[in-house]
Every structure is written in structure tokens, then in C-alpha cells.
Amino acid sequence: MKKKLLFLGPPGAGKGTQANLFCKKYGLDHLSTGDLLRDEVSSGSVLGVKAAEVMNKGELVSDDLVLSIVEARLVNIHQGWLLDGFPRNVNQANSLKSLLEKINQPLEGVVLIKVADDYLIKRLLERGRQDDNEQVIINRLKVYREKTSPLIDLYSKQGILEEIEGNADIDVVFSCIEKALGG
Ligand code: AP5
């Protein structure tokens, strides 16, 4: 089973849900930049207050802040990790590549979870997180298309991308991911 992983997909695709299940079963560290940023927001720090403004509009938080959060965590993990919600643009992907070369831990697999927009909107409205209102969701989808989706081609060209249909029961999606990653 591959153990240095990245889950990619639009907001609401199920990255967090599947990453939690996968990390529990296979003993990997789950690094969700969304969760780490929400922790920063809850702490009430200056950085958290700034991040909240951006997150509540559905825009991307600055690459520098996100990179510093990821780097601090990643350098201390050696048994396997799963990145969820990072990288989010080509600059972050290039920075991740350099960081992984530096710590000699190459990325082994990228899972793209695909779900059509109308299902995503319905799921997120039902969940009702702070940034789950219709206007912000539509912007998050736009940001995903413009900034994050170019990573699909990038990882596909590297031959490490697995595409999974995410509009199915959670356990069905999970089995497809396990199969794709060699489980
Ligand atoms: P982040 O927290 O990463 O949010 P997101 O990418 O918008 O993803 P979500 O958490 O909404 O969806 P998900 O795919 O994880 O789905 P989930 O499993 O939760 O980012 C939030 C914000 O932080 C960003 O907008 C940005 O501002 C900032 N940020 C984060 N990372 C950043 C970065 N690297 N750079 C810059 N800024 C960054 O599921 C969603 C719902 O669907 C749940 O209710 C779940 O129960 C349900 N569900 C899941 N799977 C299924 C299924 N198969 N069938 C039915 N329902 C399902």
C-alpha cells in the first residue's frame, strides 16, 4: 500500500471523510490544511483572524502561511502521511516538490475524487460549516477550477494520479481508493 499520499478534489468531494478513514486504517498522519487553518482561527491569533477573513470568502489563504504550517508538520513524520487540501495551486505544488526532495520522501500517489457540482453544493449546504453558504461555495468551486484543477494534469503527467468516482456511498468510495492505491 502506498503511504505518501495526496487527496485532491473539489470542495465537498469527500477528501476529509476518506482521508480520516484511510489514515485510521493504515496508520498515516492526516495533514488537512483546512483543519490546521481552522485550528489557527479558533486560537484567535493574528494569523488566524487574517485567515478567517479569506476563508469566509472562499478564497485561498496565502501560500507562505500554508507552506509554513505544512513544512513544520511534515518534517517530523516518517511512517507515512496523507495531504488533504494541499497543494491548492501550482506554486504550492512546486514548493511541496522541493520540500519532499529535501526530506527525501517522494510523493507516491495522488487520488482525485470526482463529484459533479450540483451534488457538491447539496452536500455542503447540508453540512453547514461557516464557509458552506451558497455564494461562498460557488466561489470555492470557481477557485478550485481556476487554481487547483491544473494540478490534475501535472500529477497525471507524473503517472501517479488515480481518478475515483466520488458520487457513491462512503464505503464504496473507500474501497475504490484502497484498490487504486494497491490495497
Ligand atoms: P478545506 O477545509 O480544505 O475545504 P474544501 O477543500 O473546500 O473541502 P471540504 O472540507 O469542504 O470538503 P471535502 O472534500 O474534505 O469533503 P468532506 O469529506 O468534508 O479548506 C477550507 C478553506 O481553507 C479554503 O477555502 C481556503 O480558504 C483555506 N485553505 C485550505 N487549504 C488551503 C491551502 N492549501 N492553501 C490556501 N488556502 C487553503 O465532505 C463534505 C460533506 O459531504 C460532509 O458533510 C460529508 O459527510 C459528506 N460526504 C462525504 N462523502 C460523501 C459521500 N460519498 N456521499 C454523501 N455524502 C458525503
Side-chain angles (χ1 to χ4, degrees):
M1 178 66 74
K2 294 177 181 168
K3 290 200 161 180
K4 295 186 175 67
L5 303 170
L6 191 170
F7 282 8
L8 197 64
K15 303 179 294 295
T17 303
Q18 297 297 334
N20 271 322
L21 293 170
F22 201 86
C23 288
K24 265 196 198 118
K25 181 160 178 184
Y26 293 102
L28 309 186
D29 272 59
H30 179 189
L31 260 85
S32 156
T33 45
D35 287 348
L36 292 169
L37 287 166
R38 280 182 288 277
D39 288 348
E40 192 70 42
V41 172
S42 303
S43 78
S45 69
V46 177
L47 281 180
V49 172
K50 273 193 191 162
E53 276 177 32
V54 178
M55 292 165 79
N56 289 338
K57 289 186 209 148
E59 297 292 329
L60 295 183
V61 172
S62 83
D63 290 351
D64 287 349
L65 172 59
V66 173
L67 285 165
S68 66
I69 291 177
V70 172
E71 182 159 6
R73 297 287 296 261
L74 210 50
V75 290
N76 293 314
I77 302 174
H78 301 287
Q79 80 280 22
W81 37 261
L82 197 167
L83 300 170
D84 158 15
F86 173 87
R88 252 341 206 254
N89 58 31
V90 172
N91 182 46
Q92 289 184 11
N94 289 336
S95 301
L96 175 66
K97 186 167 180 275
S98 307
L99 172 62
L100 295 180
E101 278 167 9
K102 197 165 80 184
I103 62 176
N104 197 21
Q105 295 199 46
L107 185 58
E108 293 172 345
V110 177
V111 172
L112 170 66
I113 307 178
K114 298 188 297 182
V115 178
D117 282 8
D118 40 353
Y119 291 109
L120 297 172
I121 294 170
K122 187 169 173 291
R123 278 185 191 180
L124 294 175
L125 288 174
E126 277 170 10
R127 180 177 64 181
R129 203 170 68 190
Q130 174 89 12
D131 55 347
D132 288 340
N133 68 69
E134 194 156 2
Q135 197 189 343
V136 176
I137 294 168
I138 287 169
N139 195 41
R140 283 159 64 198
L141 287 167
K142 180 168 170 273
V143 169
Y144 173 77
R145 269 192 296 276
E146 288 175 4
K147 301 194 170 154
T148 311
S149 69
L151 304 186
I152 297 170
D153 199 36
L154 191 143
Y155 291 120
S156 172
K157 283 186 178 141
Q158 292 176 22
I160 54 171
L161 185 84
E162 301 289 347
E163 298 195 23
I164 301 291
E165 174 50 56
N167 186 25
D169 288 347
I170 289 172
D171 55 339
V172 172
V173 178
F174 186 72
S175 300
C176 293
I177 294 175
E178 278 186 307
K179 208 169 154 196
L181 293 174

